[in-house]
Amino acid sequence: MNADTLLVELFVEELPPKALKKLGESFAGTLAASLKASGLAAADAAVTPYASPRRLAVQVAGVASRAADRAVQQKLMPVSVALTADGQPTPALLKKLATVGADASVVPSLKRQPDGKAEALFLDSVVPGATLTEGLQKALDEALARLPIPKVMTYQLADGWSDVKFVRPAHRLVALHGAHVVHVEALGLKAGRETLGHRFEATTPVVAIDDADSYAHQLREQGAVIASFAERRAEIVRQLESAAAAEGLEPIEDDALLDEVTALVERPNVLTCQFEKEFLEVPQECLILTMKANQKYFPLLDRHGKLTNKFLIVSNIRPADASAVIQGNERVVRPRLADAKFFFDQDRKKTLASRVPGLSKVVYHGKLGSQGDRMERVRAIGHAIVHQLGAHQPASVQSHDELQMLEHKVDLAAQLAKTDLLTDMVGEFPELQGIMGGYYARHEGLRDGVAIAIEDHYKPRFAGDALPRNHSGTVLALADKLETLVGLFGIGQLPTGDKDPFALRRHALGVIRLLVEKNLPLSLPEMLAAAIPAFGELIEDPRQALQDFFQDRLAVSLREQGYSAQEVDAVLALQPERLGDVPKRLAAVRAFAALAEAPSLAAANKRVSNILKKAAGEVQAAVDPALLKEPAEQQLAAALAEVQPQADRLFELHDYTASLQALAVLKAPVDAFFDAVMVNAEDPALRANRLGLLETLHKAMNRVADLSRLAA
């Protein structure tokens, strides 16, 4: 059973570029995993994936020509059913043996072993190891079946009769074990050793692979193809950085674009091009987007991040004179930039305000009306948020004037924020909504605060995105996201499983980030309650479902940030209304958990919670000193009376860490109380008083977080 490198390559027509990376990883991973499962390759065998525009391939090191035989033990049936009283096989046993390829001759070698309360017969046998041809055929079939194909094609085989369904028509199959062909088949193809290189630059029409180990080298030298996706990507990055440095500029960073371009070329050649400077009058976001999305070019930025009139292309050919390639790409991009300039010029001929009536003609949702209806709801929610901000800060003439100005800016920005949806530029490039609204607002001379709010009201658009830069943008972003969440939850359009067509999880995380990272003095329940009236009779009250949804999203987000499940549970168990306080509460819980007294107090808190849950009726947090009979309960009441005011004062100052740490002195009296005092005394008055003492203790200890969640 000799071991050698195995190579499998499927040569096809051009694969979908946005899917190539995943297709290559899946093909290599599934095929190698199947070989390892069948014993043909070691569990730690090196696996090298390859993926280029016209091929999927994998190299697996140390693959055996035949898997080792395996000893297996198979349960047959209970002894009482398998054998007669004198030990002879019953017809049932003989029938069972026949189904596993054995006969009566093996009966003496069958083993009796306990099986639950009875004995059963077991057959020991040796399963021959799979040959490489058998194992590879199975692995290849499995790899092809599991490919994450975005869209299947149906094409006809060369025989003119048979149809095949695959991502793209396949033309060649290579399967080599060392230097020897493994005779497997797939998609109507029989394996060989021949493949094709670059369409135009290969040194030979057909590349005959000598052996599995020489695959990448031969393709590079004879086929002019860098077969490895990772190596090709790294080469593109190297050339992009080199070409940009030669101009004293920097290429734009875009991993998705880089992956897509890597999937489009087999032999990358980066070239520098330019366009007329007059196009730089157009907002750079428009130019960058059209170059990236339509042409797959890499715009070049100066050291301040400003777009220049130079860009990089990744060509798939390397001619001695590249001028024709450069000129061709410059000629192709010019009409795209001219279109962007035309859209920009045309859009500025109409004001954003003049477009507001048109919003009523744009359908937002069948059950929620038009974009005009939505705009009015966002305005109403924005007003409510500004009023809540005013209610949570000290009143003064200055703050009153500031709030009035904020309310005006938010209202104006809310009216105009969606009007850029009606512009030609956003119609061509939907990704620019909000951004173009900001540009057009500035062009009209609107105050920068309003223009920035319009531009930023979609933020954060994705994980890690920047937050709105000013107060009006923050309020408008909150209002916009809450309108979406309340409206869609209110008509029952909730995310299910991995399906979230309206990106409601992203909207919820956006609200959470705004409240937490801006440390806003806003109550989430109050905000939800204030948003509902804006919808009138269109929706059912979704507050409970939304509260749970926010709680789940917040818990996931906090755990991803490195907080433990216990810490998160302890804080969120109290459902804090002000999410801006959550980081402080978590820091306080973490600091408290580090105290020597923490484990004992957490355990005691859990015990107190359980006692109070079992108590009959509602327990009042009240203590009658005259009914404190035992020294231990007198000491606990005295300690609590001394500590609680201090802890409460620190809590009101939002110094949660100090508030929790102040409670550490309660460890000794709490321990003594449970050692010496019977809570469920026979005297109802004593019992009620002791429960009141525990309720007082429970409330004092659980203002910042539910400390019982920290108990082991």
Side-chain angles (χ1 to χ4, degrees):
M1 291 188 291
N2 64 306
D4 214 332
T5 303
L6 175 72
L7 167 74
V8 179
E9 184 209 66
L10 187 65
F11 183 84
V12 299
E13 293 181 16
E14 276 75 5
L15 292 159
K18 291 185 178 179
L20 179 63
K21 187 177 181 182
K22 285 186 177 179
L23 290 172
E25 291 170 349
S26 173
F27 181 77
T30 305
L31 190 143
S34 181
L35 291 174
K36 292 176 181 181
S38 64
L40 288 163
D44 59 352
V47 179
T48 307
Y50 297 96
S52 78
R54 296 194 295 161
R55 75 197 75 239
L56 299 174
V58 59
Q59 226 172 33
V60 185
V63 175
S65 58
R66 185 186 185 93
D69 295 343
R70 292 181 298 116
V72 297
Q73 187 176 71
Q74 187 174 3
K75 177 185 172 183
L76 298 176
M77 60 181 61
V79 172
S80 59
V81 178
L83 301 176
T84 62
D86 57 357
Q88 295 303 308
T90 62
L93 176 59
L94 295 175
K95 185 177 181 180
K96 178 66 175 178
L97 288 172
T99 62
V100 298
D103 55 29
S105 63
V106 303
V107 172
S109 62
L110 297 179
K111 291 183 178 178
R112 292 189 179 203
Q113 291 180 195
D115 183 47
K117 296 181 179 180
E119 273 191 323
L121 288 183
F122 291 82
L123 172 66
D124 288 334
S125 60
V126 175
V127 177
T131 65
L132 178 55
T133 302
E134 295 168 344
L136 180 56
Q137 185 65 64
K138 177 176 177 293
L140 184 56
D141 292 343
E142 191 174 337
L144 295 178
R146 293 191 179 183
L147 277 180
I149 297 175
K151 190 174 183 180
V152 174
M153 282 185 65
T154 301
Y155 62 95
Q156 203 170 57
L157 294 180
D159 62 14
W161 295 97
S162 307
D163 285 343
V164 173
K165 294 182 184 295
F166 195 53
V167 59
R168 291 291 186 271
H171 297 297
R172 292 174 184 266
L173 176 64
V174 174
L176 293 176
H177 186 229
H180 302 288
V181 173
V182 184
H183 297 290
V184 292
E185 299 181 6
L187 305 175
L189 302 170
K190 294 184 177 181
R193 65 172 67 248
E194 294 182 342
T195 187
L196 301 183
H198 195 287
R199 283 188 185 275
F200 311 112
E201 301 197 351
T203 60
T204 177
V206 176
V207 180
I209 308 299
D210 296 332
D211 59 68
D213 288 315
S214 66
Y215 173 70
H217 176 75
Q218 281 189 259
L219 267 183
R220 186 187 286 263
E221 296 302 316
Q222 299 174 30
V225 171
I226 302 175
S228 166
F229 188 96
E231 289 181 22
R232 206 163 59 254
R233 190 181 195 275
E235 174 61 17
I236 292 173
V237 170
R238 186 194 68 76
Q239 291 189 38
L240 288 172
E241 291 176 347
S242 176
E247 300 290 336
L249 303 171
E250 296 179 2
I252 198 160
E253 294 184 7
D254 189 322
D255 285 341
L257 176 62
L258 191 53
D259 284 343
E260 188 173 357
V261 170
T262 302
L264 287 167
V265 298
E266 294 178 314
R267 192 187 191 199
N269 181 28
V270 173
L271 301 170
T272 305
C273 306
Q274 62 183 357
F275 57 82
E276 290 79 0
K277 288 186 177 180
E278 67 184 67
F279 289 121
L280 293 176
E281 298 171 7
V282 179
Q284 70 176 46
E285 292 90 345
C286 309
L287 304 180
I288 289 171
L289 186 58
T290 192
M291 283 191 283
K292 284 167 42 178
N294 295 322
Q295 306 303 134
K296 315 306 174 190
Y297 295 159
F298 290 84
L300 287 175
L301 311 176
D302 65 19
R303 58 179 181 158
H304 301 296
K306 188 175 180 181
L307 181 68
T308 69
N309 69 318
K310 294 187 176 181
F311 60 95
L312 302 178
I313 67 166
V314 184
S315 174
N316 195 34
I317 56 175
R318 297 185 182 182
D321 180 5
S323 60
V325 178
I326 292 172
Q327 291 168 12
N329 281 277
E330 290 176 345
R331 186 170 60 252
V332 167
V333 78
R334 197 172 292 119
R336 294 287 189 179
L337 302 182
D339 286 346
K341 187 175 187 306
F342 175 77
F343 293 148
F344 185 56
D345 291 340
Q346 289 297 111
D347 286 342
R348 288 182 295 170
K349 292 179 180 179
K350 291 181 66 176
T351 65
L352 294 179
S354 70
R355 298 180 187 272
V356 171
L359 292 175
S360 62
K361 299 176 184 177
V362 180
V363 175
Y364 167 56
H365 189 285
K367 294 182 178 180
L368 296 173
S370 68
Q371 285 287 359
D373 298 324
R374 182 166 187 249
M375 176 265 290
E376 294 295 346
R377 292 194 293 265
V378 172
R379 288 179 68 190
I381 296 170
H383 282 297
I385 293 173
V386 173
H387 290 159
Q388 288 179 17
L389 283 170
H392 289 285
Q393 67 181 29
S396 68
V397 174
Q398 183 180 6
S399 64
H400 177 72
D401 291 344
E402 288 175 351
L403 281 171
Q404 279 197 321
M405 180 60 69
L406 176 61
E407 188 169 15
H408 170 71
K409 288 179 180 178
V410 170
D411 187 62
L412 180 57
Q415 288 183 62
L416 304 179
K418 302 300 180 185
T419 55
D420 67 356
L421 297 175
L422 303 176
T423 63
D424 292 337
M425 186 71 82
V426 174
E428 180 72 12
F429 302 113
E431 302 93 329
L432 295 177
Q433 54 191 279
I435 294 171
M436 294 314 302
Y439 275 108
Y440 297 142
R442 289 188 192 90
H443 171 72
E444 294 173 22
L446 291 175
R447 289 186 177 183
D448 207 40
V450 173
I452 288 175
I454 292 172
E455 183 177 341
D456 287 0
H457 82 280
Y458 287 104
K459 293 180 179 178
R461 296 171 183 253
F462 50 85
D465 189 21
L467 297 182
R469 291 163 286 175
N470 62 17
H471 294 315
S472 1
T474 299
V475 173
L476 184 55
L478 280 171
D480 187 69
K481 289 171 174 54
L482 285 171
E483 192 280 337
T484 300
L485 288 160
V486 172
L488 291 168
F489 265 71
I491 59 172
Q493 296 278 3
L494 282 65
T496 55
D498 60 348
K499 294 182 179 179
D500 187 8
F502 299 102
L504 298 183
R505 294 186 180 96
R506 178 167 56 79
H507 280 84
L509 283 173
V511 171
I512 289 167
R513 281 192 61 197
L514 288 165
L515 294 175
V516 171
E517 295 178 34
K518 295 280 188 178
N519 193 22
L520 297 175
L522 293 169
S523 160
L524 181 59
E526 287 179 11
M527 291 170 65
L528 295 177
I532 291 173
F535 290 86
E537 302 297 320
L538 293 176
I539 64 171
E540 300 291 332
D541 188 339
R543 275 180 288 182
Q544 188 56 56
L546 268 173
Q547 283 278 103
D548 295 342
F549 186 65
F550 273 107
Q551 188 93 339
D552 290 344
R553 301 321 303 161
L554 180 57
V556 170
S557 175
L558 293 172
R559 287 195 290 268
E560 288 175 350
Q561 293 173 44
Y563 294 104
S564 71
Q566 276 188 318
E567 291 167 342
V568 172
D569 288 346
V571 170
L572 297 191
L574 301 186
Q575 296 190 341
E577 293 188 358
R578 278 187 55 174
L579 300 191
D581 282 348
V582 168
K584 290 181 181 178
R585 291 176 184 249
L586 284 165
V589 167
R590 183 167 286 182
F592 175 79
L595 298 176
E597 298 88 350
S600 177
L601 283 172
N605 194 47
K606 189 172 183 178
R607 185 174 179 182
V608 169
S609 298
N610 291 334
I611 291 171
L612 292 173
K613 285 177 185 175
K614 294 176 182 177
E618 185 178 352
V619 178
Q620 299 296 324
V623 179
D624 182 353
L627 293 175
L628 297 172
K629 302 299 185 184
E630 300 290 341
E633 61 183 330
Q634 294 169 356
Q635 291 166 9
L636 176 57
L640 195 52
E642 182 178 348
V643 169
Q644 188 173 4
Q646 179 189 2
D648 287 349
R649 180 177 58 81
L650 291 167
F651 179 87
E652 297 302 333
L653 293 172
H654 303 293
D655 190 349
Y656 301 128
T657 299
S659 179
L660 274 184
Q661 290 178 338
L663 300 172
V665 298
L666 294 175
K667 176 186 180 302
V670 168
D671 289 346
F673 176 88
F674 281 117
D675 286 341
V677 178
M678 174 69 71
V679 176
N680 290 320
E682 291 186 10
D683 184 337
L686 284 180
R687 182 167 63 251
N689 200 55
R690 288 169 182 173
L691 287 171
L693 178 60
L694 291 184
E695 177 66 18
T696 305
L697 173 66
H698 189 261
K699 286 188 173 180
M701 292 183 68
N702 293 290
R703 294 197 71 184
V704 175
D706 181 354
L707 298 185
S708 68
R709 305 295 177 108
L710 302 179

